[in-house]
Every structure is written in C-alpha cells, then in structure tokens.
Amino acid sequence: LRRAEEKEALQAEYDRRAAAPPITLQGAPVAVEEVQYARVRARGVYETEYQVLWDNRIHNGVPGYHVLTPFRIENSDTRVLVNRGWVPAPPSRAELPDIDAPPAPVDISGTAVAPRVDFLLGELDPLTRTRPTVWQQIDLERYAQQVEWPLQPIVVLLDPQSPGGYVREWARLDAGIAVHRGYAFQWFALAATAIVVYVVLVVRWYRRNSPMRNRT
C-alpha cells in the first residue's frame, strides 16, 4: 500500500507535467529528471541520416517499427531523437519500409521520455547514413557514441498533430498504481485465508480434545 501511495504521487507528477506549458528545447543539453514525461517543443529540421527503426512494435496485431529520426534544433548543432510513430513492416524481413520526412524547418511538439535499457540481447548494429538501422532496443548512450554531433538525452514522442509523423497512438503514462493495489489485495486475501484456516483447525482440535468429550 505504501508503494501504491508512492506511485500515486508519481502519477500526479506525470499528470502535472503533461498539463504544464511545453518546455522549449534548444541547443543546451537538458537534465533528464527535469523534462522526463514533460511536454516539449522545438523548431528545426528532420535529418534522415542515422535514422533508427525500433523493431517488434505491434499495432492492432500488426508487426512493424517505430521510426526514430534525428531532429536538428534550430540555431544549434544539437539533435534530439524524435519517435515519429509506427509503420507496418513489409512482408519480407529483408525489406525496410519506405519512410520520408519534411525537408523544410518545422515546429514539433511531444512528450519527452528517456528510454531505459535493462539488458541487451546481443550487440546493436552500427548506425548508417544511407538507410535506417534496425535496433531491438533504443540505447541513447550507444547512439550518441556513434554520431558526431551533440544529442539531447531524451526521445520525443511526437504529437499526432505535429508534422512528419506516422501512426501515433501513445498510451497514457501509467505509474503502475493498480499493480501495487493488486499485490496488496492478494496479500490481504492470503492473510484472511490463513486466519480462517487457523480458526478452523483450532476449533477442530478443541472439539477432539475438549474435557467434556473425553469424559463421555
């Protein structure tokens, strides 16, 4: 229950950041803890070099990719990766989907997230300039090591109304309150069951061993 209370506070912070005015991204690096799950916006240009396709993304039961494209922030050399949404995978795994991006400067907005990598199933392929690289997980640190320009330590989940995107049906950020309440219910149910079993066993023992029963 204490964990559920902590997650309630975290969910309230998620909701507060989602409702707050968007933070404008510029060339200076941002602090992840200050912008995580916050609304952000930027003006700049999509650059199709070093794009990444995030593999095994399912939408309505159809396998596909999330398209992550570097976005050069105006008046700086800094980029931020923008998750432009979901595209279906071609019939053959040897093929990659056709993706493009607006060539002119655009204004974008979205939600800032910091992908978390707990473990990697093998090495990630090197990034390429000419065609998207397919990754099973998004490792921003590994990505930043393979490019020659500064990278913001976040990924922007592109808003549906922002230009240059594909299918964007992002789930509401959920701190997981229901999970901890479910655990609490299970433990209370187990405790209640243990008490009932204990009482039943004590009553049975008492009936078998009571002085009145022994005298008869």
Side-chain angles (χ1 to χ4, degrees):
L1 288 177
R2 281 196 299 270
R3 288 290 293 157
E5 291 175 357
E6 293 172 2
K7 290 300 179 73
E8 284 181 343
L10 185 60
Q11 185 67 59
E13 178 64 14
Y14 288 174
D15 296 340
R16 184 193 69 78
R17 292 191 176 194
I23 299 169
T24 300
L25 297 178
Q26 298 177 341
V30 297
V32 174
E33 63 275 7
E34 293 179 3
V35 300
Q36 173 88 305
Y37 308 127
R39 304 272 306 147
V40 296
R41 64 186 177 190
R43 180 171 178 79
V45 179
Y46 287 110
E47 296 182 336
T48 55
E49 295 181 346
Y50 301 121
Q51 286 190 117
V52 172
L53 296 180
W54 188 3
D55 202 0
N56 296 318
R57 302 296 95 190
I58 307 298
H59 178 70
N60 292 336
V62 179
Y65 305 92
H66 280 184
V67 180
L68 284 87
T69 305
F71 186 82
R72 182 172 182 172
I73 300 172
E74 192 172 58
N75 299 323
S76 78
D77 195 38
T78 301
R79 276 75 162 176
V80 62
L81 272 183
V82 178
N83 189 334
R84 298 162 58 201
W86 178 89
V87 294
S92 171
R93 295 290 294 180
E95 302 176 30
L96 294 179
D98 293 326
I99 51 178
D100 54 15
V106 293
D107 294 297
I108 65 167
S109 62
T111 301
V113 296
R116 176 178 168 181
V117 179
D118 295 320
F119 61 90
L120 287 173
L121 299 175
E123 289 293 319
L124 295 175
D125 295 332
L127 300 175
T128 65
R129 289 178 178 270
T130 56
R131 69 196 303 264
T133 300
V134 177
W135 278 4
Q136 302 299 318
Q137 297 189 59
I138 301 304
D139 187 337
L140 280 182
E141 183 176 349
R142 189 78 59 91
Y143 186 97
Q145 292 171 357
Q146 296 189 34
V147 295
E148 61 269 19
W149 23 258
L151 180 72
Q152 293 286 11
I154 57 171
V155 171
V156 177
L157 302 180
L158 190 65
D159 282 344
Q161 66 270 23
S162 288
Y166 297 97
V167 178
R168 288 155 285 172
E169 295 181 359
W170 312 120
R172 175 178 178 267
L173 294 170
D174 186 358
I177 301 170
V179 172
H180 295 285
R181 287 178 174 166
Y183 288 156
F185 174 80
Q186 291 177 8
W187 283 112
F188 284 135
L190 287 171
T193 302
I195 292 172
V196 170
V197 170
Y198 176 78
V199 171
V200 170
L201 293 176
V202 168
V203 170
R204 288 181 177 177
W205 180 90
Y206 181 79
R207 287 177 177 176
R208 287 197 303 265
N209 298 278
S210 66
M212 295 295 297
R213 180 183 179 88
N214 292 334
R215 282 199 295 269
T216 57

